[in-house]
Amino acid sequence: ELISKQTIWAKDVIFLISEEEEYGIGAWLQSYHDINTLPYIQSSPILNHSGAIQAALHLDMPVFAFERLRMYVEAINGQLPDIDLVVLVRQICRQERIELVLRNAPHDIGDFGDNLLGLHANMAWQAAGRVSFPSALYHPYNIHAVGVRTEQGIRNRFTWQHIGRFTESVL
């Protein structure tokens, strides 16, 4: 309600729910941009939509009570999303006291040794040209995307309320 009254703050928020992650996201992106880049997916253009999408947060929630979030920062051909989006996700997790782990790191972001090992592992993954999370599908369309997946732990102290506050803060 507050955002709708302030036009400078207005955002177009799109919630995309897909059964088959890569295929569903790929088909929707093709339809939205009216570009058929994936030959194995047929889609028709979306007629009514607003301007360009600036950023995407891809949430994967295989478990609903979770201990930590694992962040996937990658794209196709070694590209990376805007660092501001990555820092925003990290700061919000700190504020909500949710542990945030990079894709290959075993522990919370913060320890220099773990950060160095995580950097090395991510560089090796990017150099191999492999993609491990659907958020990488957004980058060919100039959409900066970060993927986040919930993970179980021993305590599983976070729930829908926490993921809701996290998502609202990122938006």
Side-chain angles (χ1 to χ4, degrees):
E1 187 176 306
L2 174 67
I3 291 175
S4 65
K5 292 179 183 176
Q6 303 291 330
T7 58
I8 195 165
W9 293 349
K11 294 182 181 182
D12 291 324
V13 178
I14 299 168
F15 289 97
L16 177 63
I17 300 171
S18 170
E19 186 174 339
E20 297 291 334
E21 288 180 339
E22 291 85 4
Y23 300 117
I25 293 168
W28 186 84
L29 286 168
Q30 281 188 173
S31 294
Y32 190 85
H33 295 283
D34 196 16
I35 300 171
N36 290 323
T37 56
L38 303 172
Y40 49 87
I41 296 177
Q42 292 183 354
S43 59
S44 56
I46 297 174
L47 300 177
N48 297 325
H49 61 79
S50 62
I53 300 171
Q54 301 300 316
L57 174 66
H58 183 95
L59 291 174
D60 184 17
M61 298 184 64
V63 294
F64 299 115
F66 61 97
E67 182 67 28
R68 72 187 66 81
L69 294 176
R70 188 164 299 272
M71 182 168 56
Y72 293 82
V73 181
E74 60 186 28
I76 298 170
N77 296 328
Q79 298 173 346
L80 294 174
D82 185 13
I83 193 68
D84 291 339
L85 184 59
V86 175
V87 171
L88 176 68
V89 169
R90 179 180 180 202
Q91 292 297 341
I92 291 169
C93 283
R94 276 192 175 171
Q95 179 181 340
E96 293 292 328
R97 292 184 173 88
I98 299 173
E99 181 183 2
L100 181 67
V101 181
L102 285 176
R103 177 173 46 85
N104 289 325
H107 303 292
D108 189 10
I109 299 172
D111 181 65
F112 178 76
D114 288 340
N115 286 345
L116 191 60
L117 290 174
L119 173 68
H120 182 278
N122 282 321
M123 286 174 56
W125 191 268
Q126 288 281 324
R130 294 178 287 181
V131 175
S132 67
F133 206 72
S135 59
L137 295 173
Y138 295 92
H139 289 277
Y141 299 96
N142 275 342
I143 302 171
H144 297 281
V146 171
V148 177
R149 176 177 285 150
T150 58
E151 289 187 351
Q152 285 185 327
I154 297 171
R155 294 179 286 174
N156 297 326
R157 56 192 171 111
F158 300 110
T159 60
W160 278 101
Q161 181 180 9
H162 294 90
I163 204 72
R165 283 199 314 248
F166 168 78
T167 305
E168 183 181 21
S169 298
V170 171
L171 297 177

